[in-house]
Amino acid sequence: MAKELSEVFSIVGSKLIVKEIIPKTTSRSGLESGKSSVKSESKGNVMLVSNSLSELYELGDEIYYPKFAGVEVSAYGEDYKILQDNEIFFKRKDGELIAMSDYIIVLKNDKKTSSDTGVLYSKSSSKERTSGEVISKSDKVNPQIEIGNQVVFIIHSGVELTVDGKQIVVIQEGEILVILK
């Protein structure tokens, strides 16, 4: 299919073409739904990559991106999305989440009243989990932020996802308030 898409599309700049993966869900009454059941993010498989991104992405890579990102196009009776590289949160490779662009992936902590080092969280922050462990970051992120760091981030920042049963939040560097030591 990628060869066929390259006959229809010539990608300009740092973009990719993705076939969206739409989860099917079934309601209690037995009705199936698709696209409307997707929350704030979408995922898809890379079908065509610009030359400038060929070192970062391979055909078939599973990527996650904002629900309303990109431009929808059709070819050969199939729907695709054209995405810019800065719209992609992360890719999944061999079960590992790899942050892309300038994103950081944080595994959210369970509700705690204090950190392991004794920092006390306020009551407002204990209602909403606003801390977690950095599990992936792109190369564009400040080197001071390292994998394994415990961070506190702005309430309601980023995009919350559940991947493999784990609660993660995809944020940008500016949404981190402090690194806990």
Side-chain angles (χ1 to χ4, degrees):
M1 181 64 71
K3 184 167 177 26
E4 294 173 14
L5 286 179
S6 65
E7 292 172 6
V8 176
F9 301 111
S10 179
I11 298 177
V12 177
S14 299
K15 297 178 186 71
L16 359 122
I17 296 181
V18 178
K19 177 70 176 157
E20 193 168 19
I21 300 169
I22 301 171
K24 296 281 186 203
T25 58
T26 307
S27 69
R28 286 183 240 177
S29 61
L31 297 174
E32 279 192 4
S33 65
K35 229 174 196 176
S36 63
S37 66
V38 177
K39 296 182 182 175
S40 59
E41 86 290 340
S42 294
K43 66 180 175 177
N45 293 110
V46 175
M47 302 302 288
L48 189 62
V49 181
S50 68
N51 288 338
S52 63
L53 296 177
S54 62
E55 290 186 22
L56 293 174
Y57 300 97
E58 297 177 9
L59 298 182
D61 277 352
E62 183 177 286
I63 60 169
Y64 290 70
Y65 50 91
K67 179 178 181 179
F68 298 108
V71 175
E72 293 183 4
V73 295
S74 294
Y76 304 110
E78 296 281 339
D79 292 329
Y80 300 93
K81 274 202 173 185
I82 301 173
L83 298 169
Q84 296 184 69
D85 66 331
N86 64 354
E87 294 178 305
I88 299 166
F89 293 143
F90 61 91
K91 71 178 181 179
R92 188 179 186 151
K93 188 99 173 160
D94 301 324
E96 182 182 354
L97 306 182
I98 302 167
M100 304 307 288
S101 189
D102 61 348
Y103 292 105
I104 301 165
I105 303 173
V106 177
L107 178 63
K108 290 182 84 173
N109 288 335
D110 292 328
K111 292 180 186 175
K112 291 183 176 182
T113 56
S114 67
S115 72
D116 295 337
T117 58
V119 175
L120 296 175
Y121 299 135
S122 70
K123 287 184 180 183
S124 64
S125 69
S126 65
K127 290 178 186 173
E128 179 72 26
R129 294 183 291 173
T130 59
S131 66
E133 178 184 349
V134 175
I135 60 171
S136 182
K137 68 174 198 127
S138 81
D139 295 338
K140 295 179 183 177
V141 172
N142 184 328
Q144 182 182 1
I145 300 169
E146 300 175 353
I147 308 276
N149 281 154
Q150 291 292 319
V151 295
V152 176
F153 49 90
I154 299 170
I155 295 174
H156 307 297
S157 62
V159 175
E160 293 188 26
L161 307 166
T162 302
V163 178
D164 298 332
K166 297 176 185 171
Q167 286 253 249
I168 64 169
V169 62
V170 181
I171 59 177
Q172 292 179 306
E173 184 178 323
E175 296 170 308
I176 292 178
L177 299 171
V178 68
I179 299 171
L180 300 174
K181 295 186 175 198

